[in-house]
Amino acid sequence: MKHLVILFGLFFLIGCNPKENKPNIQKKLNLYYEKSADVNLDKASRLKFIDSIEVLVENNEENDSIKIKNYFKIANRYFGVLEYEKYVDVTNKILQISKSNNDSLNIAKAEYYLGDYYFSTSKNDSAYYYYLEAEKKYENLNDKTNLASTKLHKAYILSYEKDFIGSETETVKVLNIANEINDQELIYECFVNLGLSLSGLGNYEKALEYHQKSLSQIKNIKNENYKPILQAQAINNIGFVYLNLGKFKEAGEIFAEGLKIKNLIEIQPVLYISLVDNYSYSRFKINKNEGLSGFITALEIGDKINDIYSKINIRIHLVEYFLSKKDTVKALQYNEEANQLAKESKYNKEVLQTLDFYTQLKPKEGLKYAKEYIKLSDSLQHQERLSRNKLARIEFETDEIIVEKEAISNRFRIILISSLLIISFGILFYIILYQRSKHKELLFNQEQQKANEEIYKLMLDKQDELEEAKKKEKLRISQDLHDNILNKLAGIRFNLFALTQKPDETVIKRSIEYIDKIQNVENEIRTVAHELHFESFLNKGNYRSILEQLIQNQKETYQTKCECSIAPDETIETISALIKMNVYRIIQETLNNINKHANATLISLSLYIDEGFLYLSIKDDGVGFKVSKTKSGIGLKNIESRTESINGRLKISSEINKGTKVSLKVKL
């Protein structure tokens, strides 16, 4: 070791000389790379070699592409020795150079590396953001290999944050890409994560199927060096599923198979410890007198390599073992050690297990530990919901930014093209005017003056008509905005607000669907500005289906029960377009008022035609109001205005705490 340090010192001093020629520098780089990857050296020695590489590249390399290539190799070396802060510093250098060169591929790769940094340091929201940024760039570059890897890391984060459905969905997408590009290692990783996600959902039978697929998939992987580790990982996952299913005999048999893998303790000691511990636990579950020697062996190795999770988990198994022997002294000792380690390392699930054991080990203080258990459990559930919501917001807000950038870019192009056209026409017009004789120019000016006077006179004559038309148009736009667009926005806002009240998976999934409806509102606004109102309404199709869709949206958006009876197609389609449109808006406005103010549990709607009249009835069992004392808002005024426009009769009856009924009768 002494000779190695002296040798390194010489390399370091020579390596820092910026005046050396490139062949000598490259030789040193090759040597340093080789030494920094030597697992037989201690961490301090490897780290010094990596630092020397960074100094050489920083001082001697001027070509950006070669410098970036070396920086990526340096970052990987830092990551391998768990020097995460140096890893992120080098990655940020790569990102800065790549952005200055507008190098999309290396920008995406650097963002992927930043995602790895934040994931490794348990900052999952930041990791998710950078993976998402890298994913979008890889999509644009059609780089399927890196795209799949990035998506899989997003799936890992979702699984870590207990969004197992989201993780499963994302992993299936990755599996499709992996099959398309025939990446056998990636297919294996997808099978593993699908098994873990399904275990998280409690679907152990299906999880077992995917873990067994991952075990079978190993034979398709060409890299022989990784196969023992992958096999041990797959076997450990299968055994763990058997433990959850209570099939302890099968679990013990599969863990025993894993322990037969040669040299596993040297190449992957953490996996070896897990297999020994889980094998011992399955034997203990079959026979309470077995398992202790395996627990002790696993504990000694785990403590030696200082693997925190192993140290905690094995001690928890020992607590359970000694509790079965009624040896509360040893059980309490191991439980206190596990509790302290879990709290220090923020392994909250394991903290909950130790608190549960405390209620058995210290029954007199059981109430205190039970309260602490409940408090921590509730806190963890709340934190999980917040984390999942935050990841959803990151993805949504990122998409919004992209849309905004595209819109700004489109507007800029339109302005640029318009400006060029205006300038071109201006120059052309100037040339034409310049070539005209002064006599013709004077004649043109006189005719133009006369035309201007005629236009001004017409403007004065039509001023009153224009003012009246403006008033009507303002009224029409106001009604459309209030009755249609604002109602839809209110529905979308209500559905998204549900996230803060009951943010479970079902509500999140349903709410995401309403994000797409924002674009529909955008189209409605565009329609108000550019199309005739009646044409827009009639183009929506079958009138009955339009009404049924309105009722269906009501049922999906609000919890109020809604009963509906609508006249048959052959009857209702004979109504004029004017009546159809206004009846639709009256129903829409009435439902909106009920949702906002009535606090109703049941809405009954009836629409039918009888003896040349259309009848509409909408009733609710809400809080009601005094019709005589209530001031008419925009909504009620619009309902009355629309009723008048179709020569209908409107009746609104209501009593406090007895609900409200809106009745409409229109002659056809």
Side-chain angles (χ1 to χ4, degrees), residues 33-57:
Y33 278 130
E34 181 182 348
K35 293 292 183 181
S36 65
D38 188 350
V39 295
N40 295 317
L41 296 180
D42 60 77
K43 178 180 176 179
S45 299
R46 293 173 65 188
L47 187 58
K48 287 179 180 178
F49 280 115
I50 302 170
D51 290 339
S52 296
I53 297 170
E54 186 176 359
V55 171
L56 278 174
V57 172

PDB file of all heavy atoms in Angstrom, residues 33-57:
ATOM      1  N   TYR A  33      -7.981   5.835 -15.289  1.00  0.00           N
ATOM      2  CA  TYR A  33      -9.295   5.194 -15.430  1.00  0.00           C
ATOM      3  C   TYR A  33      -9.234   3.738 -14.948  1.00  0.00           C
ATOM      4  O   TYR A  33     -10.137   3.252 -14.265  1.00  0.00           O
ATOM      5  CB  TYR A  33      -9.754   5.228 -16.887  1.00  0.00           C
ATOM      6  CG  TYR A  33     -10.392   6.532 -17.309  1.00  0.00           C
ATOM      7  CD1 TYR A  33      -9.984   7.190 -18.466  1.00  0.00           C
ATOM      8  CD2 TYR A  33     -11.424   7.097 -16.556  1.00  0.00           C
ATOM      9  CE1 TYR A  33     -10.564   8.383 -18.863  1.00  0.00           C
ATOM     10  CE2 TYR A  33     -12.004   8.300 -16.948  1.00  0.00           C
ATOM     11  CZ  TYR A  33     -11.579   8.932 -18.097  1.00  0.00           C
ATOM     12  OH  TYR A  33     -12.164  10.111 -18.485  1.00  0.00           O
ATOM     13  N   GLU A  34      -8.144   3.064 -15.335  1.00  0.00           N
ATOM     14  CA  GLU A  34      -8.003   1.658 -14.942  1.00  0.00           C
ATOM     15  C   GLU A  34      -7.886   1.532 -13.421  1.00  0.00           C
ATOM     16  O   GLU A  34      -8.544   0.680 -12.801  1.00  0.00           O
ATOM     17  CB  GLU A  34      -6.763   1.069 -15.622  1.00  0.00           C
ATOM     18  CG  GLU A  34      -6.531  -0.390 -15.292  1.00  0.00           C
ATOM     19  CD  GLU A  34      -5.264  -0.934 -15.936  1.00  0.00           C
ATOM     20  OE1 GLU A  34      -4.699  -0.232 -16.813  1.00  0.00           O
ATOM     21  OE2 GLU A  34      -4.846  -2.032 -15.557  1.00  0.00           O
ATOM     22  N   LYS A  35      -7.062   2.387 -12.807  1.00  0.00           N
ATOM     23  CA  LYS A  35      -6.873   2.320 -11.353  1.00  0.00           C
ATOM     24  C   LYS A  35      -8.141   2.703 -10.593  1.00  0.00           C
ATOM     25  O   LYS A  35      -8.469   2.110  -9.572  1.00  0.00           O
ATOM     26  CB  LYS A  35      -5.726   3.246 -10.934  1.00  0.00           C
ATOM     27  CG  LYS A  35      -4.351   2.806 -11.426  1.00  0.00           C
ATOM     28  CD  LYS A  35      -3.922   1.520 -10.748  1.00  0.00           C
ATOM     29  CE  LYS A  35      -2.527   1.109 -11.169  1.00  0.00           C
ATOM     30  NZ  LYS A  35      -2.111  -0.170 -10.537  1.00  0.00           N
ATOM     31  N   SER A  36      -8.858   3.699 -11.100  1.00  0.00           N
ATOM     32  CA  SER A  36     -10.067   4.154 -10.391  1.00  0.00           C
ATOM     33  C   SER A  36     -11.169   3.116 -10.420  1.00  0.00           C
ATOM     34  O   SER A  36     -12.080   3.146  -9.588  1.00  0.00           O
ATOM     35  CB  SER A  36     -10.575   5.457 -11.018  1.00  0.00           C
ATOM     36  OG  SER A  36     -10.999   5.241 -12.354  1.00  0.00           O
ATOM     37  N   ALA A  37     -11.102   2.178 -11.392  1.00  0.00           N
ATOM     38  CA  ALA A  37     -12.117   1.127 -11.486  1.00  0.00           C
ATOM     39  C   ALA A  37     -11.691  -0.153 -10.778  1.00  0.00           C
ATOM     40  O   ALA A  37     -12.455  -1.131 -10.755  1.00  0.00           O
ATOM     41  CB  ALA A  37     -12.425   0.829 -12.950  1.00  0.00           C
ATOM     42  N   ASP A  38     -10.511  -0.147 -10.169  1.00  0.00           N
ATOM     43  CA  ASP A  38      -9.984  -1.353  -9.510  1.00  0.00           C
ATOM     44  C   ASP A  38     -10.650  -1.520  -8.149  1.00  0.00           C
ATOM     45  O   ASP A  38     -10.374  -0.779  -7.196  1.00  0.00           O
ATOM     46  CB  ASP A  38      -8.466  -1.219  -9.350  1.00  0.00           C
ATOM     47  CG  ASP A  38      -7.829  -2.512  -8.842  1.00  0.00           C
ATOM     48  OD1 ASP A  38      -8.583  -3.426  -8.439  1.00  0.00           O
ATOM     49  OD2 ASP A  38      -6.596  -2.593  -8.836  1.00  0.00           O
ATOM     50  N   VAL A  39     -11.529  -2.506  -8.035  1.00  0.00           N
ATOM     51  CA  VAL A  39     -12.282  -2.713  -6.787  1.00  0.00           C
ATOM     52  C   VAL A  39     -11.397  -3.230  -5.660  1.00  0.00           C
ATOM     53  O   VAL A  39     -11.813  -3.253  -4.488  1.00  0.00           O
ATOM     54  CB  VAL A  39     -13.458  -3.682  -7.019  1.00  0.00           C
ATOM     55  CG1 VAL A  39     -14.464  -3.088  -7.969  1.00  0.00           C
ATOM     56  CG2 VAL A  39     -12.966  -5.028  -7.550  1.00  0.00           C
ATOM     57  N   ASN A  40     -10.169  -3.653  -5.987  1.00  0.00           N
ATOM     58  CA  ASN A  40      -9.264  -4.136  -4.944  1.00  0.00           C
ATOM     59  C   ASN A  40      -8.611  -2.992  -4.175  1.00  0.00           C
ATOM     60  O   ASN A  40      -8.042  -3.214  -3.106  1.00  0.00           O
ATOM     61  CB  ASN A  40      -8.178  -5.020  -5.566  1.00  0.00           C
ATOM     62  CG  ASN A  40      -8.758  -6.292  -6.170  1.00  0.00           C
ATOM     63  OD1 ASN A  40      -9.615  -6.932  -5.563  1.00  0.00           O
ATOM     64  ND2 ASN A  40      -8.313  -6.650  -7.373  1.00  0.00           N
ATOM     65  N   LEU A  41      -8.675  -1.775  -4.727  1.00  0.00           N
ATOM     66  CA  LEU A  41      -8.145  -0.609  -4.025  1.00  0.00           C
ATOM     67  C   LEU A  41      -9.188  -0.062  -3.060  1.00  0.00           C
ATOM     68  O   LEU A  41     -10.392  -0.206  -3.283  1.00  0.00           O
ATOM     69  CB  LEU A  41      -7.755   0.483  -5.030  1.00  0.00           C
ATOM     70  CG  LEU A  41      -6.621   0.156  -6.007  1.00  0.00           C
ATOM     71  CD1 LEU A  41      -6.381   1.349  -6.924  1.00  0.00           C
ATOM     72  CD2 LEU A  41      -5.350  -0.204  -5.263  1.00  0.00           C
ATOM     73  N   ASP A  42      -8.707   0.588  -1.997  1.00  0.00           N
ATOM     74  CA  ASP A  42      -9.659   1.200  -1.069  1.00  0.00           C
ATOM     75  C   ASP A  42     -10.255   2.454  -1.705  1.00  0.00           C
ATOM     76  O   ASP A  42      -9.742   2.985  -2.692  1.00  0.00           O
ATOM     77  CB  ASP A  42      -8.970   1.541   0.257  1.00  0.00           C
ATOM     78  CG  ASP A  42      -7.814   2.510   0.058  1.00  0.00           C
ATOM     79  OD1 ASP A  42      -8.077   3.707  -0.120  1.00  0.00           O
ATOM     80  OD2 ASP A  42      -6.653   2.054   0.051  1.00  0.00           O
ATOM     81  N   LYS A  43     -11.345   2.926  -1.110  1.00  0.00           N
ATOM     82  CA  LYS A  43     -12.093   4.054  -1.681  1.00  0.00           C
ATOM     83  C   LYS A  43     -11.234   5.309  -1.796  1.00  0.00           C
ATOM     84  O   LYS A  43     -11.294   6.030  -2.803  1.00  0.00           O
ATOM     85  CB  LYS A  43     -13.331   4.339  -0.829  1.00  0.00           C
ATOM     86  CG  LYS A  43     -14.133   5.531  -1.312  1.00  0.00           C
ATOM     87  CD  LYS A  43     -15.348   5.798  -0.447  1.00  0.00           C
ATOM     88  CE  LYS A  43     -16.077   7.059  -0.889  1.00  0.00           C
ATOM     89  NZ  LYS A  43     -17.274   7.341  -0.079  1.00  0.00           N
ATOM     90  N   ALA A  44     -10.413   5.584  -0.773  1.00  0.00           N
ATOM     91  CA  ALA A  44      -9.607   6.815  -0.781  1.00  0.00           C
ATOM     92  C   ALA A  44      -8.646   6.836  -1.967  1.00  0.00           C
ATOM     93  O   ALA A  44      -8.477   7.866  -2.637  1.00  0.00           O
ATOM     94  CB  ALA A  44      -8.845   6.939   0.534  1.00  0.00           C
ATOM     95  N   SER A  45      -8.023   5.682  -2.243  1.00  0.00           N
ATOM     96  CA  SER A  45      -7.077   5.625  -3.368  1.00  0.00           C
ATOM     97  C   SER A  45      -7.797   5.796  -4.697  1.00  0.00           C
ATOM     98  O   SER A  45      -7.347   6.539  -5.574  1.00  0.00           O
ATOM     99  CB  SER A  45      -6.328   4.290  -3.338  1.00  0.00           C
ATOM    100  OG  SER A  45      -5.584   4.153  -2.145  1.00  0.00           O
ATOM    101  N   ARG A  46      -8.927   5.111  -4.852  1.00  0.00           N
ATOM    102  CA  ARG A  46      -9.695   5.229  -6.097  1.00  0.00           C
ATOM    103  C   ARG A  46     -10.162   6.674  -6.307  1.00  0.00           C
ATOM    104  O   ARG A  46     -10.142   7.193  -7.428  1.00  0.00           O
ATOM    105  CB  ARG A  46     -10.897   4.287  -6.067  1.00  0.00           C
ATOM    106  CG  ARG A  46     -10.528   2.820  -6.090  1.00  0.00           C
ATOM    107  CD  ARG A  46     -11.733   1.926  -5.898  1.00  0.00           C
ATOM    108  NE  ARG A  46     -12.661   2.050  -7.009  1.00  0.00           N
ATOM    109  CZ  ARG A  46     -13.870   1.486  -7.029  1.00  0.00           C
ATOM    110  NH1 ARG A  46     -14.298   0.787  -5.988  1.00  0.00           N
ATOM    111  NH2 ARG A  46     -14.653   1.628  -8.084  1.00  0.00           N
ATOM    112  N   LEU A  47     -10.567   7.316  -5.222  1.00  0.00           N
ATOM    113  CA  LEU A  47     -11.064   8.690  -5.309  1.00  0.00           C
ATOM    114  C   LEU A  47      -9.966   9.653  -5.762  1.00  0.00           C
ATOM    115  O   LEU A  47     -10.214  10.578  -6.550  1.00  0.00           O
ATOM    116  CB  LEU A  47     -11.629   9.118  -3.958  1.00  0.00           C
ATOM    117  CG  LEU A  47     -12.351  10.459  -3.900  1.00  0.00           C
ATOM    118  CD1 LEU A  47     -13.514  10.496  -4.887  1.00  0.00           C
ATOM    119  CD2 LEU A  47     -12.864  10.722  -2.485  1.00  0.00           C
ATOM    120  N   LYS A  48      -8.729   9.436  -5.302  1.00  0.00           N
ATOM    121  CA  LYS A  48      -7.622  10.305  -5.720  1.00  0.00           C
ATOM    122  C   LYS A  48      -7.348  10.167  -7.215  1.00  0.00           C
ATOM    123  O   LYS A  48      -7.060  11.152  -7.896  1.00  0.00           O
ATOM    124  CB  LYS A  48      -6.366   9.961  -4.920  1.00  0.00           C
ATOM    125  CG  LYS A  48      -6.433  10.425  -3.468  1.00  0.00           C
ATOM    126  CD  LYS A  48      -5.181  10.043  -2.707  1.00  0.00           C
ATOM    127  CE  LYS A  48      -5.268  10.506  -1.249  1.00  0.00           C
ATOM    128  NZ  LYS A  48      -4.078  10.112  -0.469  1.00  0.00           N
ATOM    129  N   PHE A  49      -7.446   8.944  -7.717  1.00  0.00           N
ATOM    130  CA  PHE A  49      -7.264   8.751  -9.162  1.00  0.00           C
ATOM    131  C   PHE A  49      -8.364   9.473  -9.956  1.00  0.00           C
ATOM    132  O   PHE A  49      -8.092  10.087 -10.992  1.00  0.00           O
ATOM    133  CB  PHE A  49      -7.267   7.263  -9.498  1.00  0.00           C
ATOM    134  CG  PHE A  49      -5.954   6.570  -9.217  1.00  0.00           C
ATOM    135  CD1 PHE A  49      -5.870   5.587  -8.249  1.00  0.00           C
ATOM    136  CD2 PHE A  49      -4.806   6.919  -9.918  1.00  0.00           C
ATOM    137  CE1 PHE A  49      -4.659   4.952  -7.988  1.00  0.00           C
ATOM    138  CE2 PHE A  49      -3.598   6.287  -9.670  1.00  0.00           C
ATOM    139  CZ  PHE A  49      -3.515   5.306  -8.690  1.00  0.00           C
ATOM    140  N   ILE A  50      -9.597   9.400  -9.466  1.00  0.00           N
ATOM    141  CA  ILE A  50     -10.707  10.069 -10.168  1.00  0.00           C
ATOM    142  C   ILE A  50     -10.505  11.581 -10.157  1.00  0.00           C
ATOM    143  O   ILE A  50     -10.718  12.262 -11.169  1.00  0.00           O
ATOM    144  CB  ILE A  50     -12.064   9.704  -9.523  1.00  0.00           C
ATOM    145  CG1 ILE A  50     -12.270   8.191  -9.534  1.00  0.00           C
ATOM    146  CG2 ILE A  50     -13.207  10.372 -10.278  1.00  0.00           C
ATOM    147  CD1 ILE A  50     -13.460   7.725  -8.703  1.00  0.00           C
ATOM    148  N   ASP A  51     -10.072  12.119  -8.983  1.00  0.00           N
ATOM    149  CA  ASP A  51      -9.807  13.564  -8.896  1.00  0.00           C
ATOM    150  C   ASP A  51      -8.724  13.979  -9.890  1.00  0.00           C
ATOM    151  O   ASP A  51      -8.805  15.044 -10.521  1.00  0.00           O
ATOM    152  CB  ASP A  51      -9.374  13.929  -7.469  1.00  0.00           C
ATOM    153  CG  ASP A  51     -10.508  13.814  -6.465  1.00  0.00           C
ATOM    154  OD1 ASP A  51     -11.681  13.841  -6.897  1.00  0.00           O
ATOM    155  OD2 ASP A  51     -10.226  13.684  -5.261  1.00  0.00           O
ATOM    156  N   SER A  52      -7.709  13.131 -10.044  1.00  0.00           N
ATOM    157  CA  SER A  52      -6.623  13.446 -10.982  1.00  0.00           C
ATOM    158  C   SER A  52      -7.131  13.475 -12.418  1.00  0.00           C
ATOM    159  O   SER A  52      -6.725  14.317 -13.221  1.00  0.00           O
ATOM    160  CB  SER A  52      -5.508  12.403 -10.845  1.00  0.00           C
ATOM    161  OG  SER A  52      -4.930  12.450  -9.562  1.00  0.00           O
ATOM    162  N   ILE A  53      -8.030  12.536 -12.750  1.00  0.00           N
ATOM    163  CA  ILE A  53      -8.624  12.529 -14.097  1.00  0.00           C
ATOM    164  C   ILE A  53      -9.345  13.842 -14.354  1.00  0.00           C
ATOM    165  O   ILE A  53      -9.207  14.455 -15.427  1.00  0.00           O
ATOM    166  CB  ILE A  53      -9.598  11.343 -14.247  1.00  0.00           C
ATOM    167  CG1 ILE A  53      -8.862  10.014 -14.108  1.00  0.00           C
ATOM    168  CG2 ILE A  53     -10.302  11.409 -15.602  1.00  0.00           C
ATOM    169  CD1 ILE A  53      -9.790   8.814 -14.009  1.00  0.00           C
ATOM    170  N   GLU A  54     -10.114  14.291 -13.372  1.00  0.00           N
ATOM    171  CA  GLU A  54     -10.885  15.528 -13.551  1.00  0.00           C
ATOM    172  C   GLU A  54      -9.960  16.721 -13.772  1.00  0.00           C
ATOM    173  O   GLU A  54     -10.226  17.586 -14.619  1.00  0.00           O
ATOM    174  CB  GLU A  54     -11.788  15.763 -12.342  1.00  0.00           C
ATOM    175  CG  GLU A  54     -12.723  16.947 -12.530  1.00  0.00           C
ATOM    176  CD  GLU A  54     -13.696  17.134 -11.372  1.00  0.00           C
ATOM    177  OE1 GLU A  54     -13.661  16.327 -10.423  1.00  0.00           O
ATOM    178  OE2 GLU A  54     -14.491  18.096 -11.432  1.00  0.00           O
ATOM    179  N   VAL A  55      -8.848  16.781 -13.023  1.00  0.00           N
ATOM    180  CA  VAL A  55      -7.890  17.889 -13.181  1.00  0.00           C
ATOM    181  C   VAL A  55      -7.268  17.865 -14.580  1.00  0.00           C
ATOM    182  O   VAL A  55      -7.143  18.900 -15.245  1.00  0.00           O
ATOM    183  CB  VAL A  55      -6.797  17.806 -12.096  1.00  0.00           C
ATOM    184  CG1 VAL A  55      -5.683  18.816 -12.384  1.00  0.00           C
ATOM    185  CG2 VAL A  55      -7.396  18.052 -10.724  1.00  0.00           C
ATOM    186  N   LEU A  56      -6.866  16.681 -15.036  1.00  0.00           N
ATOM    187  CA  LEU A  56      -6.268  16.559 -16.364  1.00  0.00           C
ATOM    188  C   LEU A  56      -7.232  17.011 -17.453  1.00  0.00           C
ATOM    189  O   LEU A  56      -6.859  17.758 -18.366  1.00  0.00           O
ATOM    190  CB  LEU A  56      -5.847  15.107 -16.617  1.00  0.00           C
ATOM    191  CG  LEU A  56      -4.499  14.658 -16.045  1.00  0.00           C
ATOM    192  CD1 LEU A  56      -4.307  13.165 -16.252  1.00  0.00           C
ATOM    193  CD2 LEU A  56      -3.365  15.425 -16.703  1.00  0.00           C
ATOM    194  N   VAL A  57      -8.474  16.543 -17.381  1.00  0.00           N
ATOM    195  CA  VAL A  57      -9.465  16.892 -18.402  1.00  0.00           C
ATOM    196  C   VAL A  57      -9.761  18.386 -18.362  1.00  0.00           C
ATOM    197  O   VAL A  57      -9.865  19.055 -19.402  1.00  0.00           O
ATOM    198  CB  VAL A  57     -10.765  16.074 -18.195  1.00  0.00           C
ATOM    199  CG1 VAL A  57     -11.862  16.573 -19.125  1.00  0.00           C
ATOM    200  CG2 VAL A  57     -10.501  14.598 -18.427  1.00  0.00           C
TER     201      VAL A  57
END
